[in-house]
Amino acid sequence: MKTYKAIKYTLFVCCYIFWVASGVLISVGIYAKVAKENDVVDTLTTDPALLLLAVGSLMFLITFLGCFGALRDGSVLLKMFLGILLVVFLLQITAAVLGFLFSDMVLARTELLMKKAIALYREDMDLENVIDFVQKKFLCCGVDYYTDWSQNAYFNCSDNNPSLEACGVPFSCCVRQLHETVFNSMCGYESQRKEESSIRKHIHTHGCLAKIVLWGEQNLSLVGGISISSLCLEICMISLAAAQIGQIQKVQDKRKQVESRTALRSEGDSSF
């Protein structure tokens, strides 16, 4: 019984923590979605709010099954939890293997998604904040080159573009100068019209995709450690759920045996 209780409450605590975390993700996603205007982007790949809602909802469903299944000894809920978690685990392994085997295809797809995000800059506040964060974090501009910003309607270099930011780049591309007291947010003004050699002191000219890939290669142990830790946690929760299902099945089998013996005894007593 001590082992059974340890398995039961360990699984419950793990699921409860992720259940609360999923509720926070859903709340943040709903708040971000409601705070936006009605005509903003509504695609999962380029809308951080929708991504938070999707991930949070999936986590909420899975951890709800595990949390209440473990607490109430519900074998049906635990079996559903175990099945969904196994599917998610296998999908993650499959995605990792396919990503390793077809890394060039993954990079090409990522490049297309990033360029699509650049084209939708200024259309979604959350997407805009994500792009600005990435460019400031990795000291980069655009996907492959700073001129990628010409694909955005506000930064396009066409002569009929009425935008004040035409042929420029966002402020997040700007190079922060030493001992700078006031940040010049207009440092990228008309930078696409100028030669690269003349603007290197003012904006970052290298693309973000290569910088992100380089960061991943340099921090491979960190990325691998986080990925392996998450997979080990999933394996642990799968094992706990399977162990509790096995214990519940044993208890049910013992009850059936006791009931069958009791029935046989009552039949024997009635025959006499």
Side-chain angles (χ1 to χ4, degrees):
M1 287 298 296
K2 290 182 179 179
T3 303
Y4 174 72
K5 286 184 178 180
I7 292 172
K8 173 179 178 177
Y9 290 110
T10 301
L11 180 60
F12 170 75
V13 170
C14 291
C15 290
Y16 182 76
I17 292 172
F18 284 100
W19 189 44
V20 173
S22 66
V24 173
L25 288 178
I26 293 173
S27 301
V28 172
I30 292 174
Y31 173 78
K33 196 65 184 169
V34 171
K36 292 179 183 180
E37 299 177 0
N38 294 326
D39 57 345
V40 295
V41 185
D42 281 323
T43 56
L44 186 62
T45 54
T46 54
D47 193 338
L50 279 181
L51 188 62
L52 284 176
L53 284 172
V55 174
S57 299
L58 181 62
M59 280 181 59
F60 188 87
L61 173 63
I62 296 173
T63 52
F64 173 83
L65 295 173
C67 196
F68 283 89
L71 188 63
R72 305 297 298 175
D73 295 328
S75 59
V76 176
L77 293 176
L78 285 173
K79 286 177 181 178
M80 292 174 65
F81 169 76
L82 180 61
I84 295 174
L85 206 57
L86 275 172
V87 171
V88 172
F89 178 78
L90 292 175
L91 286 175
Q92 288 176 327
I93 296 295
T94 304
V97 173
L98 291 177
F100 178 76
L101 294 176
F102 303 100
S103 57
D104 294 337
M105 187 183 298
V106 173
L107 283 176
R109 180 62 178 171
T110 305
E111 182 180 359
L112 288 175
L113 289 176
M114 291 176 70
K115 287 184 176 179
K116 183 179 179 181
I118 280 181
L120 297 172
Y121 188 84
R122 298 286 192 224
E123 303 295 332
D124 186 333
M125 186 183 299
D126 294 327
L127 181 62
E128 182 178 333
N129 290 333
V130 169
I131 293 174
D132 287 334
F133 171 78
V134 170
Q135 292 193 145
K136 288 188 289 186
K137 172 68 176 179
F138 294 97
L139 306 178
C140 56
C141 189
V143 180
D144 300 310
Y145 205 49
Y146 71 99
T147 53
D148 290 334
W149 281 103
S150 62
Q151 300 179 23
N152 183 276
Y154 293 90
F155 299 99
N156 190 273
C157 279
S158 60
D159 295 332
N160 58 352
N161 188 359
S163 174
L164 295 175
E165 298 175 308
C167 226
V169 293
F171 76 95
S172 53
C173 291
C174 297
V175 176
R176 299 301 296 264
Q177 305 295 332
L178 293 175
H179 311 296
E180 185 179 45
T181 55
V182 179
F183 177 66
N184 179 17
S185 60
M186 295 298 293
C187 66
Y189 181 72
E190 290 194 347
S191 57
Q192 295 184 53
R193 298 185 189 275
K194 303 173 184 178
E195 294 292 332
E196 181 182 352
S197 57
S198 63
I199 60 171
R200 281 180 178 174
K201 294 181 179 179
H202 304 289
I203 68 167
H204 301 288
T205 57
H206 296 290
C208 293
L209 182 59
K211 290 287 189 75
I212 293 172
V213 172
L214 180 62
W215 181 88
E217 292 174 351
Q218 292 175 344
N219 297 273
L220 193 61
S221 57
L222 175 63
V223 176
I226 294 174
S227 301
I228 292 172
S229 298
S230 63
L231 290 176
C232 288
L233 181 61
E234 289 178 19
I235 292 172
C236 179
M237 295 178 73
I238 289 171
S239 302
L240 289 171
Q244 187 171 355
I245 291 171
Q247 292 290 338
I248 293 171
Q249 193 66 44
K250 286 182 180 179
V251 172
Q252 290 177 348
D253 292 340
K254 286 182 180 180
R255 284 180 181 175
K256 288 180 181 179
Q257 290 177 3
V258 170
E259 289 175 356
S260 62
R261 288 174 183 173
T262 304
L264 288 173
R265 286 176 182 175
S266 61
E267 288 177 0
D269 294 338
S270 61
S271 61
F272 287 110

